[in-house]
């Protein structure tokens, strides 16, 4: 039972990968390659994986300025385009980092990502987190940015107006949110001129977020799911003793055993069957090919989907502690768990 045994061919025809249709009718491939090399994979390794993944049939790439590798990935995009894949066959996302929420910074930050990625436009640009709080790379969990603040809707909307302006300028085709909650999204949907096309959120069999998932779908927002395999390579600061691994869950392991695939394959099949767009990270050619094959495979059965729905453990892996804004808080305060925006 390993991924290599599934890899009967070295690529997947991109036409066999399901598409998500956004509210304006655009089609987004229902799986993308994640590019956050965490603290242990070099930019060159990720850029090399982008090249290999495009050859394997990936057409969707999830980038961000804070991942520190857009310039290297840009060289890969240039090679991919020179190799004959048209720009309109690719779906490329980038994200506005937390220290660039100020109105004056949004356009220049987007232009910087475009220059690094060697592109004229992005298919999707996300506000990475709803807080302007940031942290130095590789910091530990207790680190806080000076002047950290809670979610302030008026500030977020000032940033969002600039995001809308990027669409008007033709620099980005779609804009979206990331790491949002229902109470925050309600306000954004009330006040936005251009509504978020997607919401990027943590989604895997042990963290299914059914309420938020159903809310975004009901509002015509596509859910993109990060950490679809349970992020086994995530930084130390994002680990706690209570965390669980979906790839070790007996239900996932048993379905994988019956189908003679790796449990990661089932995590991806579950995500695509459910209707979200997983963005698994990998620099291993066997693994990223297997993930693409999982996305293009037959959906899981209704019975398998019922079994997996029952193993949700509400186990958030990316807790975001470094974005808290005052002493004495817990990471739950970032996620509005009481159903309203956590008071300042
Ligand atoms: N919006 C946000 O705030 C946010 C937050 C976190 C992540 N993200 C995005 O989501 C992407 C994915 O999240 P993630 O990287 O944390 O977690 P993930 O995709 O769940 O896990 C990636 C890990 O799984 C391993 N893996 C991948 N495919 C595998 C397979 N078929 N079999 C066995 N192992 C496999 C990879 O190792 P190998 O390299 O050895 O295959 C890597 O260590 C990120 O890269 C980033 O683009 C966004």
């Amino acid at each position: 039972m390993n991924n290599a045994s599934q890899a009967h061919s070295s690529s997947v025809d991109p036409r066999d990968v399901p598409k998500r249709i956004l509210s304006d009718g655009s089609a987004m491939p229902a799986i993308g390659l994640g590019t956050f090399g965490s603290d242990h994979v070099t930019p060159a390794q990720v850029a090399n994986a982008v090249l290999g993944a495009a050859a394997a049939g990936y057409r969707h790439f999830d980038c961000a300025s804070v991942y520190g590798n857009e310039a290297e990935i840009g060289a890969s995009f240039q090679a991919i385009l020179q190799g004959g894949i048209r720009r309109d066959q690719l779906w490329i996302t980038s994200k506005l980092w937390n220290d660039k929420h100020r109105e004056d910074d949004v356009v220049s930050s987007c232009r910087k990502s475009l220059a690094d990625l060697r592109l004229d436009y992005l298919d999707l640009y996300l506000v990475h987190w709803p807080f302007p709080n940031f942290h130095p790379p590789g910091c530990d969990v207790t680190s806080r940015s000076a002047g950290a603040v809670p979610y302030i809707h008026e500030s977020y909307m000032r940033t969002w107006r600039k995001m809308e302006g990027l669409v008007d300028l033709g620099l980005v085709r779609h804009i979206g949110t990331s790491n949002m909650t229902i109470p925050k999204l309600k306000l954004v949907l009330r006040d936005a001129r251009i509504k978020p096309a997607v919401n990027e959120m943590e989604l895997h069999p042990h963290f299914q977020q059914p309420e938020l998932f159903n809310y975004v779908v009901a509002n015509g927002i596509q859910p993109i799911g990060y950490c679809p395999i349970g992020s086994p390579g995530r930084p130390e600061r994002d680990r706690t003793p209570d965390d669980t691994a979906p790839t070790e869950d007996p239900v996932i392991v048993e379905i994988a055993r019956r189908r003679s695939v790796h449990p990661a394959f089932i995590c991806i099949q579950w995500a695509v069957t459910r209707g979200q767009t997983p963005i698994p990270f990998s620099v291993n050619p066997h693994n990223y090919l297997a993930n693409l094959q999982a996305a293009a495979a037959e959906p899981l059965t209704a019975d398998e989907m019922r079994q997996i729905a029952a193993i949700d453990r509400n186990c958030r892996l990316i807790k975001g502690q470094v974005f808290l804004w005052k002493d004495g808080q817990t990471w739950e305060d970032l996620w509005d768990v009481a159903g309203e925006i956590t008071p300042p």
Side-chain angles (χ1 to χ4, degrees):
M1 189 180 70
N2 60 47
N3 289 325
S5 67
Q6 296 146 10
H8 302 303
S9 115
S10 60
S11 67
V12 170
D13 186 331
R15 289 170 299 191
D16 293 338
V17 174
K19 308 289 179 298
R20 304 297 184 209
I21 305 303
L22 276 64
S23 51
D24 71 343
S26 304
M28 175 178 74
I31 182 170
L33 185 78
T35 66
F36 177 42
S38 192
D39 300 335
H40 65 280
V41 178
T42 65
Q45 283 174 287
V46 178
N48 197 39
V50 166
L51 267 185
Y58 279 82
R59 294 293 179 264
H60 174 171
F61 299 89
D62 181 79
C63 307
S65 57
V66 75
Y67 300 162
N69 52 19
E70 289 195 321
E72 290 80 359
I73 291 174
S76 298
F77 287 151
Q78 189 172 40
I80 290 164
L81 292 166
Q82 283 169 352
I85 294 174
R86 293 193 320 268
R87 175 66 186 89
D88 65 1
Q89 294 173 316
L90 297 175
W91 180 279
I92 299 172
T93 300
S94 184
K95 311 187 190 89
L96 180 77
W97 184 235
N98 304 4
D99 62 350
K100 300 293 183 195
H101 281 206
R102 281 193 312 272
E103 284 171 285
D104 286 351
D105 289 337
V106 177
V107 175
S108 55
S109 191
C110 180
R111 286 194 192 278
K112 168 86 167 80
S113 282
L114 285 169
D116 284 347
L117 294 168
R118 305 191 196 189
L119 301 173
D120 299 330
Y121 70 89
L122 292 167
D123 296 277
L124 177 62
Y125 198 49
L126 305 177
V127 181
H128 206 146
W129 286 82
F131 309 96
N133 313 337
F134 60 97
H135 55 81
C139 69
D140 78 21
V141 77
T142 59
S143 179
R144 301 277 177 276
S145 64
V149 293
Y151 178 79
I152 302 169
H153 182 61
E154 294 68 26
S155 306
Y156 191 86
M157 287 313 297
R158 277 196 288 274
T159 308
W160 190 258
R161 297 275 173 247
K162 289 291 176 179
M163 297 287 285
E164 293 172 332
L166 296 173
V167 179
D168 300 336
L169 288 169
L171 297 178
V172 311
R173 296 270 156 99
H174 304 90
I175 51 177
T177 53
S178 177
N179 296 304
M180 290 294 265
T181 62
I182 293 176
K184 293 184 183 108
L185 273 173
K186 274 187 183 156
L187 295 180
V188 173
L189 285 174
R190 185 194 67 191
D191 294 340
R193 174 170 64 86
I194 301 178
K195 307 219 179 302
V198 316
N199 182 56
E200 193 163 303
M201 54 201 273
E202 182 176 331
L203 288 171
H204 48 79
H206 280 180
F207 194 57
Q208 302 187 16
Q209 302 212 63
E211 270 190 38
L212 180 55
F213 177 89
N214 290 334
Y215 180 81
V216 300
V217 170
N219 283 282
I221 300 171
Q222 282 291 336
I224 293 182
Y226 69 71
C227 304
I229 294 166
S231 196
R234 68 190 179 282
E236 257 335 288
R237 65 168 180 271
D238 290 319
R239 293 177 191 272
T240 65
D242 296 336
D243 292 351
T244 58
T247 46
E248 291 168 14
D249 189 288
V251 167
I252 300 287
V253 170
E254 175 54 20
I255 296 172
R257 190 195 60 76
R258 278 204 308 269
R259 290 172 169 261
S260 300
V261 294
H262 189 283
F265 195 97
I266 302 300
C267 291
I268 299 299
Q269 262 186 306
W270 169 79
V272 175
T273 305
R274 188 189 192 209
Q276 64 232 27
T277 295
I279 45 171
F281 173 83
S282 178
V283 291
N284 176 322
H286 286 300
N287 288 349
Y288 58 66
L289 175 61
N291 296 338
L292 188 64
Q293 290 170 326
E298 287 295 308
L300 293 179
T301 66
D303 186 47
E304 288 167 331
M305 291 302 286
R306 266 192 300 276
Q307 287 179 47
I308 298 176
I311 61 166
D312 188 7
R313 294 187 181 204
N314 195 26
C315 177
R316 187 188 290 279
L317 300 173
I318 306 302
K319 300 175 181 68
Q321 296 96 323
V322 291
F323 304 123
L324 288 167
W325 60 90
K326 66 180 183 190
D327 290 339
Q329 292 184 302
T330 66
W331 60 264
E332 284 90 346
D333 290 319
L334 295 168
W335 301 102
D336 304 335
V337 290
E340 57 184 41
I341 295 176
T342 304

